[in-house]
C-alpha cells in the first residue's frame, strides 16, 4: 500500500502533525494524490483518530498529575502556616513565662535580702514604705505585661483606659464558630483581665498584631461548657445578653484552662466587689467636736434630741452578690419565671430599707437586667414569632410582664399577637366554590379564635380591669377585619339574596356564642353590614321590578293552564308556603287557574323577597325594606289599574277585576301580616297602600291613578 507507514509510522505521523510548517489543506491534498483508494484513506483516518485519543489521554494524565501536585503544595503551605502560628504562640507564652520568672526571682531576692529590696524600692521611689515593696513589684509586673500585650491590639487604647487595679490574667488564641450553623467564622485572640474580657481579631498582614473586636464586663458574662460532638470539640460558649458566641480551644487542656480561669476570675471579681460593698456599708466614725468654752451650749445640747443613726443595708449576702449574674443566666436560658422570682425576692428584701449609695448601684445593675428581660418578653409576644399554639402560648410571657409591672404593654402586645394570628388564619382559608361552605369555615375560625382570645384575656388580666376597654376596642377592629372578608365573598361576588341571607344568619348565630363570656358584638356586626345589606336589598328590588315590568309588557290577561294535576298541586303548595291559604277558590276545572301568569309570578317573587329580607332584618334596615316593598307592589298595582281602565272587552275586564281582587284582598294583607310578624310592628305605608286600592275598587271607571 502506498500509504502504509510500517513500524514507527505512528511516530512519523505524530512528528509530521506537530511540525511548525504543517498545513492541513496541503496534507490532505498530498494524501489524496498518494492514496490507492478508499480503503487506504479509511486506514489512515483510523491511525489519525487513534493518535488523537492517545494525545487526549496524555493530556488528562498531565492535568491530573499537576492537580495532585497543586493539592499537595497547598496542604504543605497550610501545615507550614499552622506550625508558624503555633511557634508564634509558643514564643509569646515563653516571653510571658520569662517575665513571670524574672518577677518571681526579684521577689525571692527581696525576701532573702531585705536590705537589697529596700535599696531597690528606695531607688524606684524614696517615699515608698518598705512594707509595700512586694505589692508594688507584683502590680508593676502585671501592668507592664498588660501594657505590652495591649500595644498589639489596635483600637482598644481609648476603650480600655489604664487603671491601677487592672491587670492581665490569661490570654490565648481561639477559633470562633457560628452559634446557629457551627461554621468557622474567624480566628481571635482573647485577653482575660481581672474585670473584663477583651476579644481581638488577627490582622492578616501583620503577625502578632490584632484589631479590637469586643469588650465584655465579667459581671454580665456567663460561661457554658459545650459538650464534645465530633468533629466539633474543645468548645465553650460565652453568654452576653442579647448575644452568645462559641469559641474552640486548640486542645482539651487549653479549653479546661480557659473554663477554670474564667470561673476563678469571675469568683474573685465577685469577692472583691463584696468586700468593697462591706467596706462602704461600715458606719464611718464621726469626728469628735472640739471642747467649747461656751457655758450655755450644755443646756442647748440637753434640749436637742440626738440624731437617729442611719440604718445600714447588708448587701454582703451571697445571693445578692450573685444576683446580676444569676439574672443573666436566667435570661440566657429563657427561665423567665426564675428571673422574675429573683427580682421579687430582691424587692421584698429592699422594700423597707433606706436607699443608700450601695443600694443605688445595685439597683442600677438590676434595672439593666430588667430592661433586658423586658425586651426578651416583648420579642416573645411580637407577631414576627410563630403564631402557632393559640392564645395560651403567650401566657408565659404575658404573666411575667404583668409581674414586672408592665400590664399595659403586656395587654397591647397580647392583642397585637392575637390580631396577627386571626388575620393569618383567615388568609389561610381556602375559598371554596360554594359561598355558604366558605362562610361556615370563616365564621368557625374567626369566632372560635375570638372566644379563645377572650377567655385567655380574662385569665391573664383578671386583676387589671383597666385593660378590658382595650380588649373591646380590639374586638371591634377584629370584627371589621372579619366583615371585610365576609362582604368580599358574599356581597361583592353578587350572590343571590337567599344565599346572602343564609350567610348573614350563620354569622349572627356564631356571634351569639360570645354571649357565653358576657360579650355581645351583634350591634357591631349590624353596623358594619348595614351598607352591604342595603345595597343587596335595593339590587334585588330592582331585579324584581324589571322582571315584573317585562311580564306586564307581555300580559294577555288569560287564565293559566297548568296541563297536569301534579303542576297544579305544586302551585298550591307554593302559594300555601307564601301564606295564601284561600288559593283553592281561584282554581277552576281540570288544571285551570282563574288568575293570570303575571299576578301569580309577582306573588311568588314578592313573598320570596319578603322572606329573605326578614332574615336580614334589623332596625337600621326598617325603612329600606319597607320602601322596597312599596315600590315593588306599586308596579303591580299601577299595571292592574291601567289595564282595568283601558280594557274594553267586558269578559277580559271581569278577569282583570278578579286578578285585582286577588291582589288587593289576598296578597296585600298577607304581605302586611308577614311584615308585622317579622318586624314586630305594623307598617303604616302598607296600610295606606291597601286603603288607596279600596278607593280604586269603589270607582273602577275613574281615570285617576292610584299614585
Amino acid at each position: 500500500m502506498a500509504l502504509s507507514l510500517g513500524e514507527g509510522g505512528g511516530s512519523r505521523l505524530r512528528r509530521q502533525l506537530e511540525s511548525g510548517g504543517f498545513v492541513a489543506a496541503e496534507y490532505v491534498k498530498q494524501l489524496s494524490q498518494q492514496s490507492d483508494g478508499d480503503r487506504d484513506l479509511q486506514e489512515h483516518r483510523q491511525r489519525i483518530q487513534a493518535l488523537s485519543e492517545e494525545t487526549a489521554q496524555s493530556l488528562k494524565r498531565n492535568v491530573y498529575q499537576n492537580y495532585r501536585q497543586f493539592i499537595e503544595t497547598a496542604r504543605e503551605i497550610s501545615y507550614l502556616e499552622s506550625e508558624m502560628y503555633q511557634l508564634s504562640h509558643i514564643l509569646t507564652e515563653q516571653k510571658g513565662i520569662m517575665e513571670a520568672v524574672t518577677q518571681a526571682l526579684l521577689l525571692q531576692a527581696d525576701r532573702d535580702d531585705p536590705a537589697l529590696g529596700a535599696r531597690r524600692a528606695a531607688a524606684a521611689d524614696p517615699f515608698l514604705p518598705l512594707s509595700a515593696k512586694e505589692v508594688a513589684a507584683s502590680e508593676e509586673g502585671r501592668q507592664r505585661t498588660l501594657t505590652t500585650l495591649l500595644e498589639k491590639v489596635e483600637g482598644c487604647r481609648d476603650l480600655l483606659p489604664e487603671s491601677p487595679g487592672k491587670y492581665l490574667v490569661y490570654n490565648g488564641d481561639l477559633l470562633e464558630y457560628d452559634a446557629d450553623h457551627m461554621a468557622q467564622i474567624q480566628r481571635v485572640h482573647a485577653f482575660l483581665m481581672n474585670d473584663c474580657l477583651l476579644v481581638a481579631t488577627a490582622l492578616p498582614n501583620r503577625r502578632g498584631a490584632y484589631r479590637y473586636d469586643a469588650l465584655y464586663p465579667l459581671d454580665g458574662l456567663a460561661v457554658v461548657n459545650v459538650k464534645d460532638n465530633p468533629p466539633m470539640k474543645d468548645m465553650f460558649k460565652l453568654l452576653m445578653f442579647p448575644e452568645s458566641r462559641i469559641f474552640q480551644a486548640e486542645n482539651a487542656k487549653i479549653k479546661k484552662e480557659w473554663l477554670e480561669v474564667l470561673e476563678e476570675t469571675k469568683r474573685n471579681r465577685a469577692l472583691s466587689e463584696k468586700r468593697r460593698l462591706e467596706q462602704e456599708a461600715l458606719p464611718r466614725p464621726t469626728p469628735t467636736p472640739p471642747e467649747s468654752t461656751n457655758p450655755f451650749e450644755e443646756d442647748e445640747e440637753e434640749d436637742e434630741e440626738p440624731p437617729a443613726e442611719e440604718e445600714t443595708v447588708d448587701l454582703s449576702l451571697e445571693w445578692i452578690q450573685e444576683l446580676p449574674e444569676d439574672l443573666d443566666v436566667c435570661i440566657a436560658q429563657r427561665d423567665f419565671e426564675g428571673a422574675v422570682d429573683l427580682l421579687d425576692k430582691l424587692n421584698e428584701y429592699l422594700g423597707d430599707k433606706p436607699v443608700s449609695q450601695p443600694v443605688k448601684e445595685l439597683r442600677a445593675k438590676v434595672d439593666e437586667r430588667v430592661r433586658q428581660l423586658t425586651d426578651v418578653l416583648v420579642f416573645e409576644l411580637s407577631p414576627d414569632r410563630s403564631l402557632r399554639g393559640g392564645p395560651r402560648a403567650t401566657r408565659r410571657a404575658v404573666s411575667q410582664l404583668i409581674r414586672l409591672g408592665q400590664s399595659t404593654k403586656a395587654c397591647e402586645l397580647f392583642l397585637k399577637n392575637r390580631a396577627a394570628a386571626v388575620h393569618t388564619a383567615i388568609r389561610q382559608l381556602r375559598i371554596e366554590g360554594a359561598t355558604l361552605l366558605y362562610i361556615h369555615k370563616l365564621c368557625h375560625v374567626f369566632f372560635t379564635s375570638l372566644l379563645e382570645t377572650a377567655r385567655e384575656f380574662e385569665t391573664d388580666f383578671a386583676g387589671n380591669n383597666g385593660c378590658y376597654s382595650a380588649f373591646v376596642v380590639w374586638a371591634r377592629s377584629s370584627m371589621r377585619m372579619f366583615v371585610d372578608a365576609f362582604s368580599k365573598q358574599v356581597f361583592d361576588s353578587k350572590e343571590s339574596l337567599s344565599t346572602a341571607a343564609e350567610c348573614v344568619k350563620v354569622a349572627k348565630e356564631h356571634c351569639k356564642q360570645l354571649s357565653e363570656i358576657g360579650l355581645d358584638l351583634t350591634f357591631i356586626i349590624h353596623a358594619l353590614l348595614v351598607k352591604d345589606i342595603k345595597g343587596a336589598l335595593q339590587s334585588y328590588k330592582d331585579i324584581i321590578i324589571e322582571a315584573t315590568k317585562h311580564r306586564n309588557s307581555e300580559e294577555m290577561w288569560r287564565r293559566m293552564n297548568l296541563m297536569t294535576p301534579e303542576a297544579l298541586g305544586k302551585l298550591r303548595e307554593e302559594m300555601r308556603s307564601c301564606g295564601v291559604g284561600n288559593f283553592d277558590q281561584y282554581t277552576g276545572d281540570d288544571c285551570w287557574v282563574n288568575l293570570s301568569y303575571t299576578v301569580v309570578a309577582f306573588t311568588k317573587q314578592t313573598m320570596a323577597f319578603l322572606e329573605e329580607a326578614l332574615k336580614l332584618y334589623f332596625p337600621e334596615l326598617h325603612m329600606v325594606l319597607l320602601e322596597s316593598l312599596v315600590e315593588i307592589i306599586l308596579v303591580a298595582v299601577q299595571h292592574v289599574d291601567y289595564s282595568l281602565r283601558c280594557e274594553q272587552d267586558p269578559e277580559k275586564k271581569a278577569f282583570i277585576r278578579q286578578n285585582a281582587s286577588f291582589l288587593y284582598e289576598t296578597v296585600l294583607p298577607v304581605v302586611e301580616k308577614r311584615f308585622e310578624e317579622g318586624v314586630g310592628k305594623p307598617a303604616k305605608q302598607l296600610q295606606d297602600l291597601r286603603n288607596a286600592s279600596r278607593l280604586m275598587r269603589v270607582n273602577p271607571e275613574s281615570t285617576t291613578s292610584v299614585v
Side-chain angles (χ1 to χ4, degrees), residues 494 497 533-551 602 605 609 624-625 627-633 635:
K494 304 299 181 183
L497 190 64
I533 295 178
K534 280 182 179 180
L537 290 176
Q538 291 174 351
S539 176
Y540 201 67
K541 174 204 69 176
D542 294 338
I543 293 174
I544 294 177
I545 290 176
E546 288 298 324
T548 304
K549 287 182 178 180
H550 179 70
R551 289 192 297 268
F602 169 79
Q605 204 166 18
F609 171 77
V624 177
L625 176 57
E627 291 172 358
S628 299
L629 276 175
V630 171
E631 288 185 39
I632 292 171
I633 293 172
V635 175

Side-chain angles (χ1 to χ4, degrees), residues 424-438:
T424 302
I426 291 177
R427 287 184 58 188
Q428 290 177 349
L429 274 179
R430 293 179 56 189
I431 299 179
E432 304 288 349
T435 301
L436 188 58
L437 178 61
Y438 172 78

Side-chain angles (χ1 to χ4, degrees), residues 73-87 207:
T73 304
R75 187 180 295 115
E76 291 296 331
I77 293 174
S78 177
Y79 290 156
L80 180 61
E81 182 182 4
S82 176
E83 291 175 357
M84 292 298 295
Y85 184 80
Q86 292 177 4
L87 180 61
R207 185 174 299 278

Side-chain angles (χ1 to χ4, degrees), residues 358-371:
V359 173
K360 290 181 179 179
E361 294 178 0
L362 178 62
R363 285 286 190 187
K365 294 180 180 179
V366 172
D367 289 343
E368 178 63 27
R369 272 70 176 183
V370 171
R371 283 192 293 271

Side-chain angles (χ1 to χ4, degrees), residues 281-446:
L282 291 176
R284 298 178 181 177
T286 56
T288 57
E291 295 183 359
S292 174
T293 58
N294 188 355
F296 300 101
E297 284 186 359
E298 296 180 1
D299 298 334
E300 294 176 357
E301 290 175 358
E302 291 178 359
D303 296 336
E304 293 178 358
E305 295 182 358
E309 295 185 1
E310 182 180 355
E311 182 183 357
T312 59
V313 183
D314 184 12
L315 300 180
S316 61
L317 300 176
E318 183 178 357
W319 69 270
I320 293 181
Q321 294 296 318
E322 297 178 355
L323 182 65
E325 181 178 346
D326 290 343
L327 288 174
D328 289 333
V329 173
C330 288
I331 294 173
Q333 296 179 348
R334 300 173 60 82
D335 183 12
F336 307 136
E337 293 83 359
V340 179
D341 290 341
L342 289 174
L343 293 172
D344 290 344
K345 183 178 179 181
L346 178 66
N347 292 331
E348 183 180 357
Y349 179 76
L350 298 178
D352 54 350
K353 302 292 191 300
V355 183
S356 59
Q357 184 61 31
V359 173
K360 290 181 179 179
E361 294 178 0
L362 178 62
R363 285 286 190 187
K365 294 180 180 179
V366 172
D367 289 343
E368 178 63 27
R369 272 70 176 183
V370 171
R371 283 192 293 271
Q372 296 174 1
L373 178 60
T374 302
D375 292 340
V376 174
L377 294 173
V378 168
F379 179 70
E380 287 293 314
L381 291 174
S382 63
D384 298 333
R385 297 281 289 171
S386 176
L387 300 175
R388 298 178 180 177
R392 291 186 180 180
T394 62
R395 182 180 297 178
R396 185 184 179 207
V398 168
S399 60
Q400 302 314 314
L401 277 177
I402 293 174
R403 291 178 63 189
L404 290 174
Q406 303 280 350
S407 300
T408 304
K409 181 177 291 186
C411 176
E412 178 185 357
L413 293 171
F414 172 77
L415 294 178
K416 282 185 178 179
N417 181 281
R418 297 314 305 153
V422 173
H423 180 67
T424 302
I426 291 177
R427 287 184 58 188
Q428 290 177 349
L429 274 179
R430 293 179 56 189
I431 299 179
E432 304 288 349
T435 301
L436 188 58
L437 178 61
Y438 172 78
I439 294 301
H440 272 288
K441 292 183 178 180
L442 175 64
C443 292
H444 175 74
V445 168
F446 174 75

Side-chain angles (χ1 to χ4, degrees), residues 449-568:
S449 299
L450 197 62
L451 189 61
E452 291 177 352
T453 301
R455 288 173 176 164
E456 184 65 25
F457 187 90
E458 192 173 10
T459 301
D460 293 343
F461 299 93
N464 297 275
N465 296 330
C467 296
Y468 280 84
S469 58
F471 176 77
V472 174
V473 174
W474 173 84
R476 181 182 180 87
S477 64
S478 299
M479 186 65 77
R480 185 176 292 109
M481 177 177 60
F482 163 76
V483 170
D484 288 342
F486 181 92
S487 298
K488 187 178 295 183
Q489 189 67 19
V490 175
F491 296 106
D492 293 354
S493 58
K494 304 299 181 183
E495 292 289 340
S496 65
L497 190 64
S498 60
T499 302
E502 288 296 326
C503 293
V504 173
K505 180 181 177 183
V506 170
K508 288 182 179 179
E509 291 175 352
H510 277 82
C511 192
K512 290 179 182 177
Q513 295 177 0
L514 300 177
S515 60
E516 298 177 7
I517 57 171
L519 185 65
D520 186 6
L521 299 179
T522 307
F523 68 99
I524 294 180
I525 198 171
H526 285 173
L528 295 175
L529 285 176
V530 63
K531 182 179 178 181
D532 291 323
I533 295 178
K534 280 182 179 180
L537 290 176
Q538 291 174 351
S539 176
Y540 201 67
K541 174 204 69 176
D542 294 338
I543 293 174
I544 294 177
I545 290 176
E546 288 298 324
T548 304
K549 287 182 178 180
H550 179 70
R551 289 192 297 268
N552 290 343
S553 65
E554 299 178 352
E555 179 61 77
M556 304 298 294
W557 293 112
R558 297 175 180 174
R559 292 190 304 165
M560 293 178 62
N561 184 4
L562 298 179
M563 308 299 291
T564 62
E566 290 78 9
L568 181 60

